[in-house]
Amino acid sequence: MTELLDGLWQASLWLAVGVVVLAVLRPLLVRLGGVALAYRSWWLLPLLLLALMLPLPQVALLQQVPTLPLKVLPGAIDGAAGQSLPWAGVLLALWALGTGLCLLRDLRAQRRFERGMGQLCARADGSWQASADPGLPALVGLWRPRIVVGPDFDQQFTAQEQGLILQHERSHRRNGDHWANGALLMARAVFWFHPLLPWAARRFLRDQELACDARTIAPQPALRGLYASTLLKAQLVHPVAPAVCHWRSQPVLKERIAMLKQSKRKALPWVSGQVLVVGLCLGMGAVAWASQGGVAGNPRIGVEPFEHAEEDAAKAGLDRPIQVDKMPPPSYPKSAIEQRQVGVVNLRVEVDAKGHPTDVQVLSATNPGVFDAVSIAAARSWTYRPAMKNGMPVAGAVKIPITYAMDNTEDSQ
């Protein structure tokens, strides 16, 4: 539970960093490589999220983290441990509720738009003609994207204007912009709480339309004027569907026409622009990947409570013993604090091949019944990594001594 919240928090921080970096660099990218280069730079955000999901090298972590038993002290730990799980559950429930509501809202808007098109009829030019116009022409659909035009498409536009519109929507389809819009829909649902995401979504969709305009008009620059007048003839007054590539997008209309009026400027060669964007994405992705341990604040702990854990694992035919990613200490019982009771509880934890604890037993305890329950509850909440044998995860068991002490004095090992 807390692992998911930690992951969301870390991803949110890096999304904020990525959005700020793109906002700062966008004018430079447009100047160097045009709007197409600025649009490609948005790959930075999904690559940052992907980098955060890649595991850090296990060998390096094992070298940095010593193998020690767990020691519990009374005081702040007792109060914090008692409140962490309820608050984590509340936050996780709020996040899930917000994600579900956002998905429901966007999917209902998409469904309303598609139903608003009415009956579709195939056209000779490969597009589809709707019987109603909820905001057409547009590229509609993810798995089977179709270019859909309105019922008065032939009357509203000349043949040359129709050709430009269809070229624009085909460019969206070839470039996979409909998939990008679907990914944006999911990101807006998962990170509904992110303060910078609404701005980033609007800027992304604007860059998408500007880049598509540039791709469409690049082979035929003499038609810039006709392209701009075609945009003016079809201003969008309908609500925009979340996963649709609209030809008419009123919020960015002025920016699109201004881009068309500009003379073609010398920009970076295509290969140089790609190298610039790829370098930016890989560089920041590497920093995000390497920072996982520092941001999370939970180093991996070797849970084998004796000096020769690796040697014993090798004798048992294992490549690696069981490990624990997160090991928050149990709460110190209030009755034990009042009576100044101390002790050691030796646990045996069985972990399956997926890293889930299947059974926790108390092997011995210096004060039986005092620390047993909190120790077992803590062990069941820890995040484990299974043992490895022949390169494959296997089920196993591990012994964990938990020391309960009334001061900070180190126990003799």
Side-chain angles (χ1 to χ4, degrees), residues 382-393:
W382 293 339
T383 304
Y384 298 86
R385 285 180 175 264
M388 301 293 291
K389 184 174 183 179
N390 299 326
M392 299 292 293

Side-chain angles (χ1 to χ4, degrees), residues 72-310:
V72 182
L73 301 174
I77 290 178
D78 182 61
Q83 297 176 5
S84 59
L85 286 180
W87 276 111
V90 170
L91 291 176
L92 191 60
L94 288 176
W95 169 77
L97 178 62
T99 299
L101 290 176
C102 288
L103 274 177
L104 181 62
R105 177 200 62 194
D106 288 342
L107 293 177
R108 286 185 64 184
Q110 181 73 16
R111 180 61 177 166
R112 189 184 309 118
F113 177 85
E114 294 182 3
R115 294 181 64 179
M117 295 188 301
Q119 192 71 24
L120 300 182
C121 298
R123 291 167 52 93
D125 55 17
S127 65
W128 294 76
Q129 189 153 26
S131 58
D133 185 2
L136 301 171
L139 180 67
V140 183
L142 288 179
W143 286 272
R144 295 175 57 191
R146 294 184 288 187
I147 300 172
V148 184
V149 300
D152 57 348
F153 184 66
D154 294 326
Q155 293 74 32
Q156 187 177 6
F157 302 101
T158 66
Q160 196 172 22
E161 290 171 342
Q162 294 176 28
L164 288 174
I165 293 173
L166 295 178
Q167 288 176 34
H168 176 95
E169 298 301 332
R170 292 186 187 116
S171 179
H172 272 310
R173 184 166 57 190
R174 286 194 303 270
N175 203 57
D177 290 341
H178 54 294
W179 287 109
N181 290 349
L184 177 62
L185 185 151
M186 292 300 301
R188 292 174 63 179
V190 173
F191 296 98
W192 57 268
F193 55 88
H194 203 293
L196 296 182
L197 195 57
W199 178 89
R202 291 193 298 269
R203 185 69 263 179
F204 170 79
L205 293 175
R206 290 189 177 195
D207 285 345
Q208 183 184 92
E209 287 303 320
L210 291 171
C212 191
D213 290 337
R215 289 194 306 268
T216 304
I217 207 65
Q220 41 195 357
L223 299 180
R224 289 173 180 267
L226 178 63
Y227 196 92
S229 64
T230 307
L231 284 173
L232 288 171
K233 288 175 63 175
Q235 296 188 32
L236 180 62
V237 294
H238 303 278
V240 177
V244 170
C245 299
H246 291 275
W247 158 257
R248 305 178 290 177
S249 49
Q250 193 173 12
V252 74
L253 181 63
K254 292 182 179 180
E255 195 172 354
R256 293 172 72 181
I257 293 179
M259 186 272 294
L260 292 171
K261 288 182 178 179
Q262 295 174 358
S263 58
K264 191 173 182 180
R265 295 171 299 180
K266 184 178 180 180
L268 283 177
W270 186 87
V271 174
S272 301
Q274 297 300 313
V275 171
L276 178 63
V277 171
V278 170
L280 172 67
C281 294
L282 292 181
M284 288 200 63
V287 173
W289 172 73
S291 69
Q292 292 180 71
V295 176
N298 290 299
R300 184 177 303 165
I301 301 174
V303 300
E304 195 71 17
F306 40 83
E307 197 174 72
H308 306 290
E310 296 292 334

